[in-house]
Amino acid sequence: MKSPKTASGVRTIALPVELIRVFRHQRVLQAKWRLEKGPAWVGAYDVEGKSWDLVFATQQGKQIMPAYDRKHWKQITGEMGLDMRVHDARHTAATTLLALGVNPRVTMQMMGWSSATMLNRYQHVLEEMERDVAVQVNAALFG
């Protein structure tokens, strides 16, 4: 609940339709909680007293504490047989965009990066990407 590190951190991005549905469902759920809680709905405020209408919040509208969020992240990823930190999801997102062939400038815009060095830090070349290139080179050379 503070300003991003760089100006490129302030951005609007297009979202997949299914994710928009999730956010809309969350908005409906929050409206229900707000009505049910009445005066107990306190909302979220930063240290300067600014009110925030958070997408994901407690049933009282407050900020979800990072420790609580991490605990549930570990539980969910553990159930999937993964050992991941929350921040690892950024690496996964960046690598997914690489695998999809998204233009690096578009990736930088979506991820909120002002420096191309972040591509090297977050995007990881997967073995299957290398195999795909081998198949393409084989087709180009030996048709």
Side-chain angles (χ1 to χ4, degrees):
M1 293 171 31
K2 59 184 180 179
S3 298
K5 291 185 243 179
T6 65
S8 61
V10 178
R11 63 204 181 277
T12 301
I13 60 170
L15 296 174
V17 173
E18 289 301 320
L19 191 53
I20 292 170
R21 288 187 183 128
V22 169
F23 287 150
R24 285 185 177 147
H25 174 75
Q26 182 66 18
R27 174 68 68 194
V28 169
L29 187 60
Q30 284 180 326
K32 178 183 166 207
W33 290 342
R34 191 180 297 233
L35 285 173
E36 289 173 354
K37 298 295 178 187
W41 176 274
V42 293
Y45 295 88
D46 62 21
V47 293
E48 297 170 353
K50 179 181 175 188
S51 174
W52 289 80
D53 187 16
L54 303 176
V55 174
F56 295 99
T58 68
Q59 289 190 12
Q60 290 77 31
K62 294 181 182 179
Q63 177 185 5
I64 296 172
M65 296 285 85
Y68 181 84
D69 191 45
R70 271 192 303 278
K71 175 185 169 189
H72 282 83
W73 176 264
K74 283 292 189 183
Q75 178 184 347
I76 291 166
T77 56
E79 289 171 1
M80 299 169 75
L82 302 171
D83 181 25
M84 287 180 67
R85 300 167 300 152
V86 173
H87 187 74
D88 293 335
R90 270 184 85 69
H91 289 264
T92 301
T95 301
T96 299
L97 294 173
L98 175 64
L100 292 172
V102 174
N103 180 291
R105 293 289 306 149
V106 175
T107 297
M108 288 176 58
Q109 174 69 25
M110 291 178 72
M111 300 296 288
W113 299 330
S114 56
S115 167
T117 60
M118 299 304 281
L119 290 168
N120 292 329
R121 180 177 297 165
Y122 282 87
Q123 290 186 326
H124 308 285
V125 175
L126 305 174
E127 284 182 29
E128 58 208 54
M129 292 175 189
E130 292 177 337
R131 284 194 300 269
D132 289 347
V133 170
V135 169
Q136 291 172 18
V137 169
N138 185 71
L141 295 177
F142 306 107

